[in-house]
């Protein structure tokens, strides 16, 4: 009975969490030669870089279908701990990777494969003339940040502590894309996001970098999962990400090297 | 107040064309089968539709003059009583009846007082505090009548008011309507739409017969019903009517006694009519006597023989007592067997059970 | 043999909730539920959901009557439009509200320039988002009831001398009360559970725009136990409201 319940619950969770994305549940990672599926659970900020690596990996491995499940790291960690079929997990912070490690879900040790740091996203042309982190404390500014429970939010808090500048945001969004959207739509004068997010947003927003961002460097760990149905392929994908071409793709979209 | 209406209206393949007057204090019955345009006609009078072409006036007021509806339904002073009582389910009986006075601006107390008066008029005073869901069909219709009257309408529209009642409740409500519609001194014009000639007979002064949107016949109720001039009217409304004075088990006429079954609202000694259909009249050669159940028999002379659908309708011209102008339906074979032709003397017989005695009114 | 699909349907609704109950950390429940973030979210949710329901009723009843009673052809199109919030993903609904009432939206720009009013990131934005998504529930249940009842009572009332507004007030609305009650309960439940449109249009800030569902989502990032506890609270509130309001609504007494 417990098993059935857990199954129903995790299906509901996965279905609701994945929304429109490719899903990850149907035949899992089974299948014989020439028709194998590799399920990669990756933080949403990795969308562009991992999209490229997916193509590369599929080109190099005949008959392998890489399925990317892109969502918030904590959602992905919950899904993995609830038994969602996953071979590789790339998290946007160590905290969520640790949740999976604690649950015994990781094969070996996670490895940091990229770093990210905060920047100030402003509408094109920087209409409010923001030049520093301290400028964000201005009264007449609508500033949007991440909630402290998500990685970009805790990074924001660290910067606040390091600089002694206290922000009074209009909203604490649930993920960095939501912050970016508010800036893109012009609802917010500024938002604190990752460097990579500004890169992927193209010319819809501009980035105002600030030195204090170095106080809160975010490490991205990757790991092969214990329950991986395709542990060999998973190891190869892991190697690709940490290898030279993987690092090139990541730096193209703004990630730093560990 | 006199109602005057001229209506022309087309809806798809159906068209209605009618023109009529209803003098104050009188009742006009619009008689016709389903689909003949009766409800459309009522809708035009109530102000629910605008005819394509036409005028409706009530007394001095012009209610409709195409292309415009000059007076909205709520300002017309029109009361509507439909087949279903349509009592507002969320209001008590007394508040249902008080609805019209209240809508006209009377205070709550005054409206309730008026409502209690009208409820006692329809013998429903004891129902005042009930909810409509707690009433029988007949009780609900009683209350609906009180509600329509409480608005003190200048024009009362009755849309098949007895059609939804069961056979036990209908005669009492018919009697009640008779009483309130014919109450002395009222100046109200009433239009009654019905498919039942008995309703027309019991309630209306005049009849207008509608067939596929056209007026095919009109006149005094008794004339139209007893001597239809068109086969259509004869088919839906051809009834034998004999006037007289009600007695315990029948009707005393100038030409003799007719046994029948009196309606509940018939009082002995009051003017009444005996009603029976042509199909219930049996025809025998002169001098022959029938036996069996109690019958009314009378001598008569054949006046005319007309084909009438599958049967032949015989009309008498002359005879003893009440036999004048009666209609009887026979099969063509019976006509041949009896060698009937105009001038043939015959004997007519009607079972007492087939004769209904109703109160009569008017001239 | 209806009980097999009926049982399945019930299982689909109930089992996930049972799963939730099974996962709840009851020892920490009081502490989790009485944190100031939880209480703020609960209070905000109740206030905004009640306000949205009131707006749904005030605006939705006339709309349902117009839709049900109008004979014009354009109404068919209108009816489909009214249902849009039901089919739109709530996030898209939130974006649509931003495009209208946001700082760069045409109405929002006007409000900002003329009156200095900015709607996004305010509690008002939460109420608007909830009203937007909950309105169809009220309109659909009312319109169904109106169509079922037809307009015969209204016709009778007008022949009894009642002006259109009196008819509406004394006949249409009282007859609608049962449907209005269930429609309002549905709207309230939908408003209470509203998430996507709120977070997109109003953002998420404790005490201002972070309603219970947003707080659940927020907590889920850090502490699943806390999120589960809050979800439980949301369920209890919803069940209470439905249990208390429903029987009275069905009875249909004014």
């Amino acid at each position: 009975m417990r098993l059935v319940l857990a199954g129903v619950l995790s299906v509901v969770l996965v279905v609701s969490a994945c929304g429109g994305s490719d899903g990850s549940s149907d035949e899992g990672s089974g299948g014989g030669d020439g028709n194998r599926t590799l399920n990669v659970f990756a933080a949403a900020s990795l969308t562009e870089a991992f999209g490229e690596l997916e193509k590369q990996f599929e080109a190099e491995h005949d008959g392998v279908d890489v399925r990317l499940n892109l969502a918030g790291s904590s959602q992905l960690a919950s899904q993995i701990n609830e038994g969602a079929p996953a071979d590789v997990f790339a998290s946007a912070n160590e905290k969520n990777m640790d949740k999976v490690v604690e649950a015994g879900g990781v094969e070996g040790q996670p490895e940091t494969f990229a770093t990210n740091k905060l920047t100030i996203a402003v509408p094109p042309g920087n209409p409010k003339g923001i030049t520093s982190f301290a400028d964000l404390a201005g009264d007449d500014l609508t500033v949007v940040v991440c909630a402290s429970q998500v990685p970009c939010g805790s990074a924001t808090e660290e910067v606040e502590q390091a600089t002694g500048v206290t922000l009074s945001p209009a909203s604490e969004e649930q993920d960095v894309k939501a912050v970016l959207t508010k800036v893109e739509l012009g609802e917010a004068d500024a938002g604190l996001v990752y460097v990579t997010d500004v890169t992927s947003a193209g010319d819809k927003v501009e980035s105002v970098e600030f030195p204090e961002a170095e106080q809160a460097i975010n490490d991205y760990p990757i790991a092969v999962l214990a329950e991986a149905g395709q542990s060999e392929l998973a190891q190869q994908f892991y190697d690709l990400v940490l290898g030279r071409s993987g690092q090139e793709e990541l730096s193209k979209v703004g990630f730093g090297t560990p | 107040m006199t109602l005057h209406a001229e209506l022309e209206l087309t809806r798809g393949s159906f068209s209605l064309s009618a023109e009529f007057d209803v003098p104050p204090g009188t009742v006009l019955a619009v008689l016709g089968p389903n689909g003949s345009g009766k409800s459309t006609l009522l809708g035009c009078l109530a102000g629910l539709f605008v005819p394509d072409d036409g005028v409706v006036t009530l007394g001095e007021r012009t209610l409709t003059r195409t292309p415009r509806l000059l007076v909205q339904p709520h300002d017309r002073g029109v009361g509507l009583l439909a087949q279903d009582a349509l009592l507002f389910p969320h209001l008590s009986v007394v508040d249902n009846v008080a609805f019209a006075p209240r809508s006209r601006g009377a205070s709550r107390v005054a409206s309730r007082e008026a409502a209690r008066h009208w409820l006692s008029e329809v013998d429903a005073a004891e129902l005042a505090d009930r909810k409509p869901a707690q009433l029988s069909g007949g009780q609900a219709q009683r209350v609906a009548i009180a509600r329509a009257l409480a608005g003190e309408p200048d024009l009362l529209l009755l849309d098949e008011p007895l059609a939804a009642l069961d056979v036990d409740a209908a005669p009492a409500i018919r009697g009640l309507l008779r009483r309130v519609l014919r109450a002395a001194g009222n100046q109200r014009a009433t239009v009654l739409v019905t498919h039942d000639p008995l309703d027309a007979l019991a309630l209306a002064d005049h009849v207008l017969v509608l067939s596929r949107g056209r007026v095919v016949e009109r006149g005094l109720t008794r004339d139209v019903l007893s001597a239809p001039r068109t086969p259509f009217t004869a088919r839906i409304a051809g009834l034998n009517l004999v006037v007289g004075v009600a007695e315990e088990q029948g009707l005393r006429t100038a030409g003799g006694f007719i046994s029948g079954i009196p309606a509940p609202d018939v009082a002995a000694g009051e003017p009444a009519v005996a009603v029976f259909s042509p199909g219930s009249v049996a025809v025998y050669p002169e001098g022959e006597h029938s036996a069996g159940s109690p019958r009314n028999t009378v001598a008569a002379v054949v006046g005319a023989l007309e084909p009438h659908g599958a049967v032949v309708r015989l009309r008498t011209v002359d005879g003893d007592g009440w036999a004048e102008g009666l209609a009887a339906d026979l099969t063509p074979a019976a006509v041949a067997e009896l060698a009937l032709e105009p001038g043939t003397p015959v004997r007519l017989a009607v079972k007492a059970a087939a004769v209904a005695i109703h109160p009569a009114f008017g001239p | 043999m209806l009980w097999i699909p009926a049982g399945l349907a019930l299982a689909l609704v109930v089992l996930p909730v049972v799963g939730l109950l099974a996962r709840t950390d009851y020892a920490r429940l009081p502490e989790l539920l009485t944190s100031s973030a939880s209480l703020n979210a609960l209070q905000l949710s109740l206030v905004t959901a009640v306000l949205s329901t009131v707006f749904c009723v005030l605006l939705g009843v006339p709309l349902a009557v117009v839709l049900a009673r109008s004979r014009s052809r354009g109404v068919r199109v209108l009816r489909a439009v009214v249902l849009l919030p039901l089919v739109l993903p709530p996030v898209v609904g939130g974006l649509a509200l931003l495009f209208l009432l946001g700082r760069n939206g045409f109405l929002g720009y006007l409000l900002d320039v003329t009156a200095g009013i900015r709607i996004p990131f305010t509690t008002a934005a939460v109420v608007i988002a909830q009203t937007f998504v909950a309105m169809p529930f009220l309109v659909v249940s009312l319109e169904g009831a109106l169509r079922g009842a037809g307009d015969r009572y209204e016709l009778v009332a007008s022949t009894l001398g009642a002006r259109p507004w009196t008819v509406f007030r004394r006949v249409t609305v009282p007859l609608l009360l049962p449907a209005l009650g269930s429609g309002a309960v549905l709207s309230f439940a939908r408003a209470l559970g509203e998430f996507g449109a709120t977070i997109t249009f109003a953002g998420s800030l404790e005490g201002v725009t972070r309603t219970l569902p947003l707080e659940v989502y927020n907590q889920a990032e850090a502490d699943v136990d806390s999120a589960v506890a809050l979800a439980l609270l949301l369920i209890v509130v919803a069940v209470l409201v439905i249990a208390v309001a429903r029987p009275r609504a069905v009875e249909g007494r004014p």
Side-chain angles (χ1 to χ4, degrees):
Chain A
M1 189 62 186
R2 267 194 83 88
L3 208 67
V4 173
L5 284 185
V8 169
L9 199 62
S10 66
V11 167
V12 169
L13 273 174
V14 169
V15 168
S16 63
C18 295
S21 87
D22 211 356
S24 52
S25 54
D26 41 356
E27 84 266 39
S29 37
D33 267 28
N35 193 15
R36 291 174 298 171
T37 302
L38 181 70
N39 288 304
V40 176
F41 281 32
S45 50
L46 295 167
T47 305
E48 288 81 9
F50 272 40
E52 285 303 316
L53 292 176
E54 176 191 9
K55 280 183 214 153
Q56 212 173 314
F57 193 80
E58 285 176 353
E60 286 166 10
H61 297 76
D62 215 20
V64 172
D65 179 18
V66 175
R67 292 198 179 166
L68 289 180
N69 179 18
L70 298 157
S73 299
S74 70
Q75 275 181 31
L76 293 174
S78 300
Q79 288 173 18
I80 291 165
N81 286 344
E82 293 294 342
D87 300 305
V88 178
F89 178 35
S91 168
N93 64 358
E94 283 165 334
K95 196 174 83 179
N96 286 307
M97 181 59 83
D98 289 347
K99 286 186 200 166
V100 180
V101 172
E102 277 164 26
V106 165
E107 182 76 42
Q109 280 298 314
E111 191 70 41
T112 300
F113 67 96
T115 64
N116 212 346
K117 63 176 182 179
L118 292 179
T119 186
I120 302 168
V122 294
N126 193 359
K128 298 283 178 179
I130 294 159
T131 57
S132 70
F133 187 78
D135 285 353
L136 297 181
D139 274 348
D140 53 343
L141 280 189
T142 305
V143 178
V144 175
V145 302
C146 288
S148 61
Q149 285 84 351
V150 293
C152 57
S154 52
T156 303
E157 276 190 350
E158 282 171 37
V159 174
E160 281 184 86
Q161 276 161 16
T163 57
V165 175
T166 308
L167 304 180
S168 48
S171 179
E172 295 167 359
E173 300 289 336
Q174 222 52 56
D175 59 68
V176 70
K177 297 282 179 198
V179 175
L180 204 60
T181 303
K182 295 287 195 292
V183 177
E184 284 176 12
L185 293 174
E187 294 305 331
D189 297 318
L192 280 169
V193 299
Y194 287 119
V195 173
T196 53
D197 299 304
V198 177
T199 315
S200 63
D203 52 9
K204 284 182 280 186
V205 295
E206 278 181 17
S207 172
V208 178
E209 301 210 12
F210 56 99
E212 299 90 333
E214 301 297 337
Q215 307 289 330
I217 295 291
N218 210 42
D219 288 338
Y220 278 53
I222 187 169
V224 173
L225 298 171
E227 301 287 319
Q230 298 286 348
S231 52
E232 201 176 314
L233 280 175
Q235 188 60 47
Q236 285 167 10
F237 191 86
Y238 173 93
D239 292 341
L240 172 67
V241 172
L242 283 164
R244 213 180 53 157
S245 62
Q247 293 297 306
E248 266 172 29
E249 287 300 335
L250 287 161
S251 68
K252 259 191 226 169
V253 293
F255 284 106
T257 44
Chain B
M1 274 183 241
T2 300
L3 169 75
H4 171 74
E6 297 167 31
L7 306 169
E8 301 272 349
L9 175 135
T10 302
R11 292 278 186 274
S13 61
F14 172 80
S15 74
L16 169 73
S17 173
E19 181 263 303
F20 52 90
D21 288 282
V22 185
T26 69
V27 179
L28 171 73
V30 177
L31 198 57
N34 291 336
S36 59
K38 297 174 305 205
S39 296
T40 309
L41 183 146
L42 273 198
C44 289
L45 298 181
L48 308 179
F49 321 118
V50 184
D52 300 332
D53 192 14
V55 183
V56 178
T57 63
L58 187 57
E60 302 291 300
R61 292 201 301 160
T62 303
L63 303 182
T64 298
R65 183 179 296 280
T66 50
R68 292 191 50 216
L69 188 73
L70 296 175
V71 180
Q72 292 298 316
H74 59 266
D75 278 334
R76 292 200 159 205
V78 168
L80 179 66
L81 182 66
Q83 186 171 334
D84 301 316
L86 293 177
L87 299 179
F88 305 129
H90 57 289
L91 297 179
S92 67
V93 162
V94 68
D95 285 338
N96 261 280
V97 181
F99 190 90
R102 198 90 179 90
S103 297
R104 303 247 153 88
S107 73
R108 189 182 296 262
V109 173
S111 306
R112 287 218 170 133
E113 210 166 289
R116 287 186 197 280
H117 161 73
W118 285 107
L119 279 173
S120 65
E121 284 291 298
V122 301
D123 306 324
E126 75 281 4
L127 305 176
D129 296 322
R130 294 209 201 162
K131 284 271 181 177
Q134 300 166 305
L135 302 179
S136 71
Q139 288 172 327
Q141 198 64 329
R142 246 171 227 281
V143 174
I145 292 168
R147 182 176 66 173
L149 293 174
E152 306 198 1
D154 298 323
L155 171 62
L156 185 60
L157 304 176
L158 309 176
D159 189 359
E160 303 272 12
L162 304 169
L165 298 178
D166 56 44
V167 279
D168 297 328
I173 299 296
R174 192 183 287 121
L176 168 67
L177 277 173
R178 255 181 70 72
R179 198 176 80 217
V180 297
L181 293 182
R182 313 217 57 82
N186 88 68
Q187 290 301 301
R188 190 170 51 224
T190 302
V191 177
L192 161 73
V193 152
T194 180
H195 68 274
D196 184 351
L198 256 189
D199 291 347
L201 181 72
L203 302 171
D205 304 87
H206 296 90
V207 172
L208 181 152
V209 182
L210 216 50
S211 169
R212 296 200 187 107
R214 295 286 175 279
V215 177
V216 293
E217 193 157 354
R218 66 173 82 208
L220 286 170
T221 306
R222 204 174 307 153
D223 294 351
V224 171
L225 295 186
S226 61
R229 287 193 299 272
T230 67
F232 177 78
T233 313
R235 197 163 63 249
I236 66 158
L239 290 174
N240 289 306
L241 306 180
V242 182
V243 296
V245 174
E247 286 192 6
E248 198 69 14
Q249 291 297 322
L251 187 78
R252 169 74 49 206
T253 76
F257 185 77
I258 303 176
S259 305
I261 298 167
D265 55 332
V266 171
E270 294 288 313
V273 269
V275 184
F276 49 97
S277 76
S280 64
V281 180
V283 181
Y284 300 96
E286 189 189 19
E288 198 166 300
H289 283 268
S290 57
S293 53
R295 279 164 194 258
N296 304 293
T297 61
V298 68
V301 175
V302 177
L305 290 159
E306 294 154 3
H308 188 7
V311 299
V312 174
R313 177 157 294 178
L314 176 156
R315 271 193 185 279
T316 61
V317 282
D318 202 0
D320 299 343
W322 49 273
E324 169 78 37
L326 291 184
D329 288 345
L330 298 95
T331 61
V335 173
E337 191 186 318
L338 296 169
L340 297 179
E341 55 182 36
T344 310
V346 290
R347 177 157 285 273
L348 306 180
V350 193
K351 278 194 211 174
V355 178
I357 311 294
H358 285 275
F361 55 83
Chain C
M1 280 294 127
L2 281 179
W3 62 269
I4 293 177
L8 274 176
L10 195 66
L12 187 61
V13 174
V14 170
L15 286 188
V17 179
V18 172
L20 201 62
L21 291 173
R23 283 294 288 269
T24 305
D25 184 346
Y26 291 96
R28 282 182 63 207
L29 202 56
E31 163 212 344
L32 292 173
L33 291 184
T34 52
S35 77
S36 74
S38 305
L39 293 178
N40 277 334
L42 174 64
Q43 188 192 352
L44 184 68
S45 263
L46 289 176
V47 168
T48 53
V50 166
L51 281 174
S52 315
T53 308
V54 169
F55 283 118
C56 280
V57 169
L58 288 181
L59 304 175
V61 172
L63 178 58
V65 172
V66 168
L67 287 182
R69 293 288 181 257
S70 172
R71 295 190 175 99
S72 88
R73 235 174 254 166
V75 164
R76 198 177 300 172
V77 181
L78 267 184
R79 188 171 302 128
V81 172
V82 169
L83 295 182
L84 267 185
L86 281 183
V87 288
L88 274 186
V91 175
V92 178
L95 279 177
L97 286 170
L98 270 184
F99 295 150
L100 174 70
L101 292 166
R103 220 197 274 184
N104 296 328
F106 61 91
L107 203 55
Y109 179 77
L110 216 63
L111 283 172
D112 194 358
V113 170
T114 57
I117 296 173
R118 287 183 192 170
I119 294 179
F121 308 125
T122 63
T123 306
V126 177
V127 174
I128 292 171
Q130 290 177 348
T131 308
F132 173 80
V133 297
M135 181 85 81
F137 288 88
L138 191 96
V139 172
V140 166
S141 54
L142 277 191
E143 205 207 336
L146 277 164
R147 290 185 170 278
D151 56 1
R152 304 189 306 162
Y153 288 105
E154 277 98 337
L155 288 182
V156 168
S158 71
T159 65
L160 292 170
R163 301 180 169 278
W165 175 244
T166 311
V167 173
F168 180 74
R169 199 170 46 82
R170 292 204 59 207
V171 178
T172 311
V173 170
L175 287 179
L176 276 182
L177 273 184
L180 187 63
S182 53
V185 168
L186 277 179
S187 300
F188 181 84
R190 180 67 186 86
L192 196 65
E194 175 15 65
F195 172 76
T198 308
I199 201 165
T200 309
F201 179 48
S204 171
L205 192 65
E206 187 183 327
V208 180
T209 55
R210 189 172 290 156
T211 56
L212 213 41
L214 270 62
E215 179 64 19
V216 170
Y217 189 55
N218 193 39
Q219 290 295 335
E221 293 292 336
D223 180 358
V224 174
D225 285 344
S226 173
V228 169
L230 283 170
L232 205 62
L233 182 62
L234 195 60
I235 290 172
V236 168
V237 170
V239 167
L240 274 181
V241 166
I242 292 169
V244 169
R246 192 65 199 227
R248 198 174 302 167
V250 167
E251 201 181 348
R253 297 279 163 83

